[in-house]
Amino acid sequence: MTIHRSARLAIDGGEKVRTTPLPSSLHGIEEVGDEEIAAVTDVLRRKKMFRFLLTDEDSYTARFETAFKEYMGSRYALSVTGGTTALVTALVGLGVGTGDEVIVPAYTYIATAAAVLTVGAIPVIAEVDDTLTLDPNDFERKITPLTRCVIPVHMRGWPAQMDEIMDIARRYDIAVLEDVAQAVGGEYRGRKLGSIGQAGVFSFQHYKIITSGEGGMVITDDETVFRRAACKHDSAMSFWKKDDPWEPFAGVNARMCELRAAVGYVQFQRLSGILARTRALKKRIVSRISDAPGIELVRSADPEGDCGITLGLFLPSAEEAQRFSAALAAEGISNGTIYNKEIPDRHIYRYWDYVLNKWTSDRTGYPWAPQYYKGNVEYSPDMCPNSLGYLGRVVTVGLGQKWTEADADDVAAAINKVAHAYYGDQT
């Protein structure tokens, strides 16, 4: 790509690379069309929104589960009301409960830690590394005799380092629950994300790669995990499955209704096409910025399995990231930083106020009180300095499947323009 190094940056009064906004970088919601409308209308006309009023052949919920588990290569799939309830039901499925410790990364939505607290366990926060996913070395350092589970999170379509994580978990006999809320359809070395650990959970919330508005899924190969998760997701599961022996316990009603499932089932058919496009766009941009000075790509644990929905660039410092981000925006390229100390982003542990302060709605202090928890975990806003360092230096651009090659080329051109203006050739 030709770089006009003498070109004046738009932020300094020069001509913009792009004068019209980029298409949306949302995914599933941008695909909603006649098929989703027809499926929802079908449910409404039948007047049967509860899955157990229908056969598995007629139920959108059952068909969604079947298609999803076949795609993931797992034995079981359980649809639920959201990504957080997927985490809660999966943790119960894995036998995680009161007094246990669960290791979570410092960069994930607060719901990951909230789900741990919901089942009475204690979140232990570990560093992320230059993949912006769980640092395997810090995961191992944070293990104690109380550690029952680890939740690697595949953030923004980036796969976590699952080989290293699984090796450590096996050596210490720790369950692995993959949080795939932001990476449905992603892969790690030929395996679908979510199918590598003992269980995987997904979100179909409005902003996710495919959406049902709200919704989630749990997958596993373990029958016991599935049955326990199913009992937690439905307080009367043994009644609906009375033809099959169950050992019930108290649960909640987190079932996915037919309306959500109808949208989710149609959206699922769109998943491969969305990812094929975003992956191609990201590869195109990356190939065109490979020689740009002063920047470094967020390291991917598996570039081929990466969902391609986020381009992440490391700058030399947090201050440089802010400067680069502003200059890129002035060129007409929407982007963002992650940890800028201005926005209390709940994806960053530092802003998990009720976790760091050990706040609880329970008058007994559950689950923190010593009659429940025998460990000594402590939190502070600065407890994961490596994570804050990495997150502060990142500039991100969200990629959408509606982009053209020209849109991708504009992003690459703007990155190159700003990088060369600020950092020269560095040869």
Side-chain angles (χ1 to χ4, degrees), residues 52-64:
F52 292 124
L53 294 175
L54 299 157
T55 65
D56 285 353
E57 290 74 22
D58 291 331
S59 164
Y60 281 102
T61 312
R63 282 186 280 165
F64 190 14

Side-chain angles (χ1 to χ4, degrees), residues 387-405:
S387 299
L388 297 180
Y390 284 121
L391 295 170
R393 295 195 294 114
V394 174
V395 172
T396 62
V397 178
L399 281 62
Q401 76 278 6
K402 300 294 186 180
W403 288 19
T404 65
E405 284 78 6

Side-chain angles (χ1 to χ4, degrees), residues 223-412:
E223 183 179 8
T224 298
V225 172
F226 169 71
R227 283 175 172 261
R228 286 179 56 85
C231 282
K232 182 64 179 178
H233 110 295
D234 187 335
S235 57
M237 192 67 186
S238 60
F239 175 80
W240 307 120
K241 296 291 186 180
K242 54 190 175 184
D243 57 330
D244 188 16
W246 286 71
E247 297 179 7
F249 51 79
V252 295
N253 284 332
R255 300 179 300 253
M256 180 179 282
C257 74
E258 285 290 290
L259 284 172
R260 292 185 187 182
V263 177
Y265 180 68
V266 174
Q267 283 267 301
F268 175 73
Q269 319 305 317
R270 306 186 186 281
L271 177 59
S272 295
I274 291 172
L275 294 183
R277 184 62 177 164
T278 56
R279 284 168 169 157
L281 289 164
K282 183 170 181 178
K283 288 179 180 178
R284 186 179 182 93
I285 296 170
V286 167
S287 71
R288 285 160 170 74
I289 64 172
S290 59
D291 296 328
I295 63 172
E296 179 184 351
L297 288 173
V298 170
R299 179 169 66 89
S300 178
D302 181 359
E304 293 301 314
D306 186 326
C307 292
I309 62 173
T310 308
L311 178 71
L313 309 173
F314 282 123
L315 277 295
S317 68
E319 293 73 23
E320 290 294 301
Q322 293 292 313
R323 183 172 76 139
F324 197 97
S325 174
L328 198 58
E331 298 295 340
I333 306 302
S334 56
N335 72 94
T337 55
I338 296 179
Y339 177 53
N340 55 29
K341 302 184 182 179
E342 294 176 2
I343 301 172
D345 187 343
R346 305 299 177 185
H347 293 85
I348 303 172
Y349 82 92
R350 190 184 182 101
Y351 300 110
W352 299 350
D353 48 3
Y354 57 77
V355 178
L356 300 191
N357 292 298
K358 300 182 180 179
W359 293 338
T360 173
S361 65
D362 193 285
R363 61 182 176 80
T364 69
Y366 177 85
W368 306 104
Q371 64 265 40
Y372 307 114
Y373 173 54
K374 306 305 179 184
N376 58 0
V377 68
E378 295 294 337
Y379 306 108
S380 76
D382 301 314
M383 64 182 291
C384 292
N386 293 341
S387 299
L388 297 180
Y390 284 121
L391 295 170
R393 295 195 294 114
V394 174
V395 172
T396 62
V397 178
L399 281 62
Q401 76 278 6
K402 300 294 186 180
W403 288 19
T404 65
E405 284 78 6
D407 295 327
D409 290 347
D410 281 348
V411 171

Side-chain angles (χ1 to χ4, degrees), residues 31-112:
E31 296 289 333
V32 171
D34 291 343
E35 293 87 350
E36 286 88 349
I37 294 168
V40 169
T41 301
D42 181 41
V43 172
L44 294 174
R45 283 177 173 158
R46 290 189 302 184
K47 297 184 180 180
K48 292 182 179 179
M49 300 187 195
F50 179 40
R51 66 175 298 179
F52 292 124
L53 294 175
L54 299 157
T55 65
D56 285 353
E57 290 74 22
D58 291 331
S59 164
Y60 281 102
T61 312
R63 282 186 280 165
F64 190 14
E65 290 171 344
T66 297
F68 201 84
K69 70 183 179 183
E70 289 177 353
Y71 174 80
M72 292 292 168
S74 58
R75 290 181 63 195
Y76 304 99
L78 177 71
S79 57
V80 292
T81 52
T84 305
T85 47
L87 283 162
V88 170
T89 53
L91 285 166
V92 171
L94 290 166
V96 176
T98 301
D100 293 332
E101 290 180 352
V102 178
I103 295 174
V104 302
Y107 183 45
T108 178
Y109 191 54
I110 191 172
T112 308

